């Protein structure tokens, strides 16, 4: 091995990027091995990825049918966007040393607030109603993040316990409310008014009738806001100081409790927005949810893979969005969608083993020439 | 010659710096070999290479004449090398016994950890070497000196016979240092060989056989201690003459900046560690609180700075009672604090140097405007401090604090606190872990603050520092001041009597 390669992998800065990539590759290798053992054609994994992410259908190469279908790209983005937001949510709390397991419930509260506002003001024009719906969603998540933050700061109740509990409260509260809204059936509300809808014919047209919606602008703003707050503001400085070393933060006169509350609260805001995107973008009605949909839990993984940074959460969200998007395609090829879930889980395990990967990298980096 | 360790031509680089450059070092059977050098000279790095924590890019290591490849600390342990690190590596919520046996636990028939057997072995070892510890106590409840004994027992438990001590005495009280010296002599008599890193020349003169001096990563020379003297060693290490004499300006007028009355502060167990405490700190004066470690100094510091709430009494600072105010407010009023535990309170280790330099001022102009950080201003300020206070690192202000050498971490904190020129500077063990050159500089900076008319409240366990730096000495015993004396008239002997509680001294009238 060349010297420069060893220096590269031994460098801590590069390792931050290398470790997630290695984990992802290893995750896919595990998936492929399992496919080989189950005598499934591992090639389908890649054709599914090509199709699900880039819209390229390899089966049509050489035929008269169009190889490229933009709809898949649109759908891939649609499944990634909520995950990016929940990834940001988890990452934001984590940077302050808090573990937000409650993005799941915060997403639901975001959905709930959005749908209630959307259905309550049917007459309003889009320029007014749509921002209201977005703000409502953000607010729903914010409240659901504030509660564990407050309990943590005031009574030192562990945020993990509270957020897990609030996930259930959120789930049942959402279902109960959705069912009680006027006109709702047992599984959904009535359609939201057009003025509350994030969808767009234009976006749909350019992606061959996908469900792509304006929510991506919200995502872009959220990503930038995360980055800006964390790295450019005194507030972000305080959050990071608390996250790294509570004692030193206290010594510096930083209010540790206040920052814990704020971190959880804003963490909830990001997740709440994901709820808005789901109800007013991906769908256009409120849904009764039989069980957790894992937006929050996958957000934990997206944040973890992304090293709890803004850009990392985007990449993590896209990765797990892709793994979600390829499931129907794989299934159509006779490959159980569980393979994608296995890959996701394997990646989680490898990311969790990052210290091990790191020590291997360090060994390589340290080898005598 | 009977060399147990030979390190030949060792070179170790970090991004931006060569920590060791073609260093040669050897250790003879049964000797105590001191390693001396400025902060950041590469002492800890060289020993980490020997202990397998780092791999050298160049050079080779021979143990008892045989070439070895020390890939990791496990290999080092196996070939009998043990190390007590500069910053201890103990599990705080485990007991002393558990910490010592961790990783090489004795097993019973069912392959379960045999704590009883481990405990017995620990007790036997501690008796053999005079390292008294309570095997069942948790690490979080014991003093630093005790923690160090645990680290030493850890090495002995693993049958190490090449023992590396990285600045063991920096955190110890004078009494504990004497004890440690005896322990080290015992160890050598038992056939062990010792490498001792220390900045204290007195210790080197007292127990080392030879001394190797490093400067900026290079080996300057190895000398027989018996044929050398402290000032020669200091000069070799710093590259110039060191002058520890302090010239203080005569100041006649003093104003009281801090009045502490009937203060009590509880310790972590809820007992009164400070009680009925009275003290005046005045401008243009260095007031030193001296005492044997564990007599309430830490709690007093925490109470004054606001890290722990006071349970009674008042602290008046610049005419205002502050015992209930927030830390930020105290800092803003002009209270500076060089904390005892630099890694716990003083630095956010994962921040880079520049972020740490503005730890209490990041929210103010020019470092931020309307909540937005001004990275250029922060960097500029930090660059100046790094330069002025000679904080040595691999990438200047952008270096993560974690990679700084111990002494340079300390220098960074001192730079930050002294440069703010607070009305009252509370300095707890300010020169802990610093080389003599740096001590000279820091002492001069503290005196300069005093001469400017600022007040300094010093906490130090080192009698020499206490006597040379302070104007007044207040001796603390079991949480109370038992005597206040002029540093000019104080003798080590008298201080010793007061500190041990054997005698009561004079107290000023506190109205
Ligand atoms: N992990 C690391 N990454 C980058 N640089 C490092 C690392 N460890 C040490 N250094 C740098 O190498 C140099 C030598 O550090 P070392 O800790 O060996 O000094 P030292 O002689 O032990 O000093 P001190 O007396 O202050 O403890 C320092 O400039 C330090 O900044
Ligand atoms: Mg060191």
């Amino acid at each position: 091995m060349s010297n420069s390669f060893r220096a590269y992998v031994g460098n801590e800065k590069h390792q931050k990027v290398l470790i997630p990539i290695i984990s992802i590759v290893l995750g896919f290798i595990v998936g492929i091995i399992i496919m080989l053992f189950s005598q499934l054609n591992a090639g389908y994994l890649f054709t599914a990825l090509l199709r699900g992410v880039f819209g390229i259908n390899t089966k049509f190469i050489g035929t008269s049918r169009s190889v490229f279908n933009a709809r898949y790209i649109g759908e891939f983005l649609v499944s990634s966007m909520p995950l990016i937001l929940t990834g940001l949510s988890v990452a934001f709390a984590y940077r302050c040393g808090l573990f937000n397991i409650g993005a799941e419930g915060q997403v639901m509260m975001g959905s709930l607030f959005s749908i209630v506002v959307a259905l309550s003001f049917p007459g309003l024009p889009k320029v007014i109603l749509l921002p209201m719906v977005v703000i409502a969603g953000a607010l729903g998540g914010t409240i659901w993040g504030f509660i564990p933050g407050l309990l943590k700061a005031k009574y030192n109740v562990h945020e993990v316990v509270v957020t897990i509990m609030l996930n259930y409260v959120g789930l049942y509260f959402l279902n109960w409310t959705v069912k009680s809204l006027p006109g709702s059936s047992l599984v959904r509300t009535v359609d939201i008014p057009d003025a509350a809808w994030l969808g767009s014919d234009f976006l749909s047209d350019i992606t061959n009738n996908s469900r792509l919606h304006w929510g991506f602008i919200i995502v872009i703003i959220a990503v930038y806001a995360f980055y800006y707050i964390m790295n450019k503001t005194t507030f972000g400085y305080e959050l990071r100081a608390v996250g790294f070393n509570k004692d030193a933060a206290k010594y510096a006169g930083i209010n540790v409790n206040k920052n814990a509350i704020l971190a959880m609260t804003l963490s909830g805001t990001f997740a709440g927005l994901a709820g808005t995107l789901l109800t007013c973008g991906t769908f256009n009605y409120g849904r009764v949810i039989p069980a957790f949909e894992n937006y929050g839990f996958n957000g934990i993984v997206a944040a973890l893979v992304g090293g709890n940074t803004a850009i990392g959460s985007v990449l993590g969200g896209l990765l797990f969005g892709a793994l979600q998007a390829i499931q129907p395609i794989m299934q159509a090829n006779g490959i159980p969608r569980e393979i994608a879930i296995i890959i996701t889980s394997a990646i989680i395990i490898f990311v969790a083993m990052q210290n091990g990967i790191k020590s291997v990298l360090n060994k390589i980096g340290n080898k005598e020439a | 010659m009977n060399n147990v360790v030979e390190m030949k031509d060792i070179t170790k680089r970090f991004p931006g710096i060569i920590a060791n450059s073609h260093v040669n070092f050897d250790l003879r059977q049964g000797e105590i070999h001191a390693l001396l050098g400025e902060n950041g000279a590469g002492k800890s790095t060289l020993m980490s290479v020997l202990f397998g924590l780092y791999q050298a890019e160049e050079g080779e290591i021979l143990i008892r004449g045989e070439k070895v490849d020390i890939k990791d600390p496990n290999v080092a342990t196996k070939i009998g090398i043990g190390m007590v690190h500069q910053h201890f590596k103990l599990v705080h919520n485990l007991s002393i016994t558990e910490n010592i046996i961790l990783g090489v636990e004795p097993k019973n028939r069912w392959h379960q950890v045999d704590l009883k057997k481990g405990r017995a072995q620990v007790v036997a070892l501690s008796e053999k070497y005079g390292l008294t510890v309570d095997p069942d106590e948790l690490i979080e409840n014991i003093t630093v000196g005790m923690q160090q004994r645990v680290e030493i027992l850890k090495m002995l438990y693993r049958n190490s016979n090449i023992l590396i001590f990285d600045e063991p005495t920096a955190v110890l009280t004078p009494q504990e240092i004497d004890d440690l010296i005896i322990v080290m002599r015992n160890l050598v008599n038992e056939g062990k060989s010792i490498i001792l890193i220390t900045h204290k020349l007195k210790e080197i003169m007292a127990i080392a056989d030879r001394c190797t001096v490093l400067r900026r990563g290079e080996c300057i020379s190895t000398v027989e201690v018996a044929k050398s003297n402290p000032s020669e060693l200091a000069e070799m290490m710093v590259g110039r003459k060191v002058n520890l004499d302090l010239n203080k300006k005569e100041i006649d007028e003093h104003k009281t900046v801090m009045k502490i009355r009937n203060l009590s502060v509880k310790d972590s167990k809820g007992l009164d560690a400070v009680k009925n405490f009275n003290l005046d700190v005045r401008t243009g004066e260095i007031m030193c609180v001296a005492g044997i470690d564990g007599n309430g100094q830490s709690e007093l510091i925490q109470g004054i700075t606001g890290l722990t709430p006071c349970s009674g009494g008042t602290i008046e600072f610049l005419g205002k009672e502050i015992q209930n105010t927030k830390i930020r407010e105290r800092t803003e009023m002009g209270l500076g604090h060089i904390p005892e535990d630099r890694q716990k309170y003083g630095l956010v280790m994962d921040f880079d140097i520049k972020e740490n330099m503005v730890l209490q001022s990041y929210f103010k102009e020019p470092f931020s405007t309307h909540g937005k950080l001004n990275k250029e201003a922060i960097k500029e300020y930090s660059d100046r401090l790094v330069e002025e206070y000679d904080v040595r690192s691999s990438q200047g202000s952008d270096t993560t604090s974690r990679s700084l050498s111990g002494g340079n971490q300390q220098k960074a904190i001192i730079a930050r606190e002294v440069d703010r020129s607070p009305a009252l500077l509370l300095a707890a063990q300010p020169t802990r872990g610093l080389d003599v050159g740096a001590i000279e500089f820091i002492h001069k900076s503290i005196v300069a603050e005093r001469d400017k008319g600022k007040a300094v409240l010093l906490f130090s366990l080192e009698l020499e520092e206490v006597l040379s730096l302070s104007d007044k000495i207040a001796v603390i015993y079991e949480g109370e001041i038992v005597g206040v004396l002029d540093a000019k008239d104080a003798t080590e002997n008298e201080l010793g009597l007061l500190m041990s509680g054997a005698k009561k001294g004079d107290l000023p009238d506190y109205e």
Side-chain angles (χ1 to χ4, degrees):
Chain A
M1 270 174 289
S2 81
N3 262 324
S4 58
F5 171 76
R6 275 191 279 112
Y8 187 86
V9 301
N11 183 325
E12 204 153 321
K13 265 200 194 120
H14 300 148
Q15 287 178 351
K16 279 198 186 124
V17 180
L18 276 174
I19 290 170
I21 293 177
I22 292 172
S23 308
I24 293 164
V25 170
L26 290 174
F28 274 94
I29 291 176
V30 168
I32 290 167
I33 291 173
I34 289 176
M35 288 176 85
L36 292 177
F37 268 104
S38 325
Q39 290 172 335
L40 297 165
N41 187 342
Y44 281 142
L45 180 61
F46 293 97
T47 53
L49 271 174
L50 269 179
R51 199 158 151 209
V53 177
F54 301 104
I56 297 167
N57 190 338
T58 45
K59 275 196 203 143
F60 294 162
I61 293 175
T63 70
S64 60
R65 298 177 61 181
S66 161
V67 172
F68 177 70
N69 184 348
R71 189 170 81 237
Y72 288 103
I73 299 182
E75 288 298 323
F76 158 55
L77 292 176
V78 166
S79 45
S80 303
M81 289 188 303
L83 296 179
I84 294 174
L85 286 171
T86 50
L88 291 174
S89 163
V90 175
F92 198 85
Y94 193 83
R95 290 292 277 277
C96 191
L98 296 164
F99 211 34
N100 180 13
I101 310 280
E104 192 72 32
Q106 291 146 14
V107 170
M108 292 182 210
M109 292 310 282
S111 297
L112 176 62
F113 273 53
S114 286
I115 197 75
V116 169
V117 169
L119 294 179
S120 303
F121 305 97
L124 289 178
K126 193 156 194 159
V127 281
I128 299 179
L129 188 56
L130 193 55
M132 272 172 64
V133 164
V134 173
I135 292 169
L139 187 68
T142 304
I143 294 173
W144 236 230
F146 172 73
I147 299 170
L150 185 74
L151 292 175
K152 170 88 181 186
K154 281 268 176 298
Y155 306 106
N156 203 18
V157 190
H158 205 290
E159 74 277 6
V160 166
V161 178
V162 180
T163 49
I164 289 178
M165 291 305 162
L166 284 181
N167 284 343
Y168 287 97
V169 178
L171 176 69
Y172 295 116
F173 188 52
L174 168 76
N175 288 343
W176 176 75
T177 319
V178 163
K179 279 189 254 181
S180 332
L181 285 171
S184 289
S185 72
L186 277 178
V187 292
R188 54 168 286 190
T189 66
V190 294
D191 283 352
I192 57 172
D194 250 0
W197 196 45
L198 283 165
S200 114
D201 292 339
F202 165 69
L203 291 176
S204 187
D205 275 351
I206 60 168
T207 54
N208 192 13
N209 291 326
S210 82
R211 290 179 293 174
L212 187 62
H213 53 81
W214 289 119
F216 77 86
I217 293 180
I218 296 177
V219 174
I220 291 171
I221 294 173
V223 170
Y224 185 71
F226 181 110
Y227 168 79
Y228 186 83
I229 293 175
M230 208 48 90
N231 299 298
K232 304 278 179 198
T233 67
T234 52
F235 171 43
Y237 178 95
E238 291 185 2
L239 284 181
R240 285 182 291 127
V242 173
F244 282 135
N245 182 348
K246 274 198 186 60
D247 292 309
K250 195 174 160 198
Y251 159 92
I254 294 171
N255 189 334
V256 174
N257 282 336
K258 185 183 99 187
N259 276 288
I261 297 179
L262 285 174
M264 277 313 275
T265 305
L266 283 174
S267 165
T269 312
F270 287 112
L273 286 170
T276 308
L277 258 59
L278 286 167
T279 25
C280 300
T282 316
F283 303 94
N284 62 343
Y285 51 85
R287 297 166 304 140
V288 169
I289 298 166
F292 291 138
E293 295 183 311
N294 292 344
Y295 289 108
F297 302 129
N298 285 331
I300 297 174
V301 197
L304 218 61
V305 171
N308 297 301
T309 61
I311 199 71
S313 301
V314 173
L315 298 176
L318 288 174
L319 170 69
F320 293 103
L323 283 165
Q324 228 165 55
I326 63 172
Q327 289 177 16
I329 305 171
M330 289 180 34
Q331 232 161 1
N333 282 313
I335 295 178
R337 56 191 281 267
E338 278 75 14
I339 293 292
I341 298 172
I342 288 173
I343 294 173
T344 309
S345 320
I347 294 174
I348 300 174
I349 293 174
F350 286 117
V351 170
M353 293 187 344
Q354 52 180 294
N355 279 336
I357 298 178
K358 192 172 176 164
S359 73
V360 172
L361 288 180
N362 281 339
K363 270 203 186 131
I364 298 171
N366 272 329
K367 274 257 167 60
E368 299 253 354
Chain B
M1 201 55 63
N2 205 350
N3 283 337
V4 278
V5 176
E6 272 175 80
M7 299 179 83
K8 288 187 183 158
D9 211 26
I10 301 287
T11 297
K12 173 70 200 166
R13 297 185 189 89
F14 290 115
I17 201 165
I18 304 178
N20 293 145
S21 163
H22 304 284
V23 173
N24 291 302
F25 178 88
D26 61 70
L27 177 70
R28 294 176 192 154
Q29 169 60 39
E31 81 166 335
I32 297 181
H33 191 150
L35 196 51
L36 182 68
E38 287 176 289
N39 296 125
K43 305 178 296 292
S44 297
T45 305
L46 185 67
M47 287 306 110
S48 298
V49 167
L50 180 56
F51 192 57
L53 284 165
Y54 295 138
Q55 254 60 43
E57 278 89 32
E58 288 166 44
E60 57 178 22
I61 300 175
L62 283 77
I63 302 292
R64 294 180 202 89
E66 252 173 76
K67 189 165 181 253
V68 287
D69 176 18
I70 308 178
K71 286 200 300 284
D72 56 50
N74 293 332
V75 176
T77 307
K78 218 170 280 160
I79 52 185
I81 303 173
M83 179 158 177
V84 177
H85 296 270
Q86 193 166 1
H87 304 107
F88 300 153
K89 307 204 180 294
L90 296 168
V91 186
H92 282 243
N93 50 0
L94 289 187
S95 75
I96 290 182
T97 301
E98 287 166 324
N99 264 283
I100 292 173
I101 64 174
L102 195 65
V104 279
E105 303 87 354
K107 301 280 170 61
N108 65 13
R109 243 184 317 159
W110 318 105
H111 270 269
Q112 289 165 315
V113 176
D114 192 344
L115 256 185
K116 241 198 229 142
K117 192 166 153 202
R119 189 180 182 283
Q121 288 169 335
V122 168
V123 170
L125 273 178
S126 83
E127 271 165 17
K128 180 169 170 196
Y129 293 98
L131 292 155
T132 331
V133 292
D134 172 358
D136 306 312
E137 190 60 270
L138 298 184
I139 298 295
E140 57 197 10
N141 297 335
I142 64 178
T143 61
V144 203
M146 188 77 83
Q147 290 183 15
Q148 182 165 70
R149 276 180 239 161
V150 177
E151 287 281 12
I152 299 173
L153 285 168
K154 247 165 85 180
M155 296 193 294
L156 298 174
Y157 185 81
R158 285 159 181 71
N159 285 322
S160 306
N161 42 39
I162 298 164
L163 310 179
I164 307 168
F165 288 83
D166 193 350
E167 289 190 42
T169 58
V171 292
L172 297 187
T173 62
Q175 179 57 44
E176 285 171 326
I177 293 174
D178 292 343
D179 293 345
L180 179 67
I181 286 179
I182 296 171
V183 167
M184 287 205 266
R185 288 224 174 90
N186 282 342
L187 290 169
V188 170
N189 289 340
E190 288 283 327
K192 318 248 175 202
S193 316
I194 294 180
I195 303 171
L196 170 68
I197 300 180
T198 179
H199 290 293
K200 299 181 188 167
L201 301 168
K202 214 169 66 183
E203 288 160 15
I204 295 181
M205 299 313 292
I207 51 165
D209 300 296
R210 287 188 301 158
C211 175
T212 292
V213 181
L214 291 185
R215 195 197 307 158
R216 301 202 177 235
E218 283 173 47
C219 183
I220 299 297
S221 84
T222 301
V223 296
E224 301 281 338
V225 170
K227 291 182 196 144
S228 185
N229 60 63
S231 58
E232 185 194 43
L233 289 178
E235 199 177 332
M236 252 200 278
M237 158 176 140
V238 192
R240 62 176 165 88
K241 281 224 179 317
V242 180
N243 177 10
L244 284 178
D245 295 336
L246 290 166
N247 289 317
K248 291 194 210 155
K249 205 163 83 180
E250 280 297 325
I251 298 182
D252 302 323
E253 251 188 81
H254 301 284
K255 276 205 304 267
T256 307
V257 281
M258 184 174 275
K259 264 189 204 166
I260 304 177
R261 292 293 176 269
N262 298 316
L263 190 74
S264 43
V265 186
K266 291 195 185 329
D267 63 14
S268 56
K269 292 186 187 120
L271 304 171
D272 271 334
V274 176
K275 51 189 184 255
N276 304 326
F277 188 94
N278 293 305
L279 191 71
D280 284 338
V281 191
R282 307 192 298 168
T283 55
E285 193 171 85
I286 300 177
M287 167 64 85
C288 176
V289 175
I292 296 169
D293 199 19
N295 273 285
Q297 293 98 319
S298 302
E299 288 79 7
L300 179 60
I301 295 167
Q302 302 228 329
I304 295 175
T305 53
L307 286 165
T308 307
C310 305
S311 50
T314 57
I315 306 171
E316 195 185 304
F317 181 42
L318 299 171
K320 188 171 174 247
E321 285 196 8
I322 59 159
Q323 67 274 10
N324 294 319
T325 59
K326 296 207 173 74
I327 295 174
R328 169 70 46 88
E329 201 174 320
R330 299 184 203 201
T331 315
E332 287 296 277
M333 285 176 70
L335 180 62
H337 176 196
I338 298 168
E340 237 178 333
D341 189 334
R342 59 180 168 236
Q343 297 199 337
K344 186 171 180 194
Y345 292 110
L347 295 170
V348 177
M349 298 296 278
D350 296 284
F351 271 2
D352 51 30
I353 295 182
K354 58 178 185 298
E355 286 176 304
N356 268 311
M357 285 300 191
V358 293
L359 203 54
Q360 301 104 326
S361 48
Y362 64 91
F363 58 93
K364 289 197 290 198
E365 298 266 11
F367 307 126
S368 66
T369 8
H370 307 304
K372 183 177 184 297
L373 293 172
N374 271 330
K375 300 250 160 133
E376 293 81 37
I378 294 175
K379 169 111 165 100
E380 209 173 288
Y381 176 69
S382 168
D383 283 347
R384 177 172 73 74
L385 291 191
V386 164
E387 168 79 30
E388 249 172 57
Y389 290 80
D390 192 25
V391 181
R392 292 191 200 163
S393 64
S394 48
Q395 281 145 335
S397 289
D398 299 324
T399 318
T400 55
S401 309
R402 197 174 286 289
S403 78
L404 283 180
S405 81
N408 282 297
Q409 290 170 13
Q410 184 72 13
K411 285 202 261 178
I413 297 172
I414 294 176
R416 181 182 70 209
E417 297 306 310
V418 173
D419 196 76
R420 288 193 296 131
S421 194
L424 189 149
L425 176 65
L426 191 162
Q429 323 298 343
T431 54
R432 184 173 268 180
L434 295 189
D435 66 58
V436 284
I439 290 178
E440 176 192 13
F441 176 73
I442 298 306
H443 278 178
K444 287 192 173 134
S445 319
I446 292 178
V447 168
E449 286 299 301
R450 163 201 178 274
D451 291 349
K452 264 198 276 177
K454 308 282 171 167
V456 178
L457 180 56
L458 174 73
F459 289 77
S460 177
L461 295 173
E462 280 189 59
L463 278 185
E464 242 169 88
E465 180 168 78
V466 170
L467 287 167
S468 73
L469 195 55
S470 28
D471 297 302
K472 286 239 173 87
I473 303 171
V475 178
I476 187 171
Y477 176 70
E478 294 193 339
E480 277 179 82
I481 295 292
V482 292
V484 178
L485 28 123
D486 256 334
K488 285 198 291 289
D489 323 323
T491 61
E492 286 206 20
N493 188 22
E494 190 184 6
L495 280 180
L497 286 173
L498 286 169
M499 282 161 63
S500 62
K503 181 184 150 188
K504 286 250 175 200
D506 299 329
L507 290 176
D509 266 341
Y510 295 109
E511 79 286 2

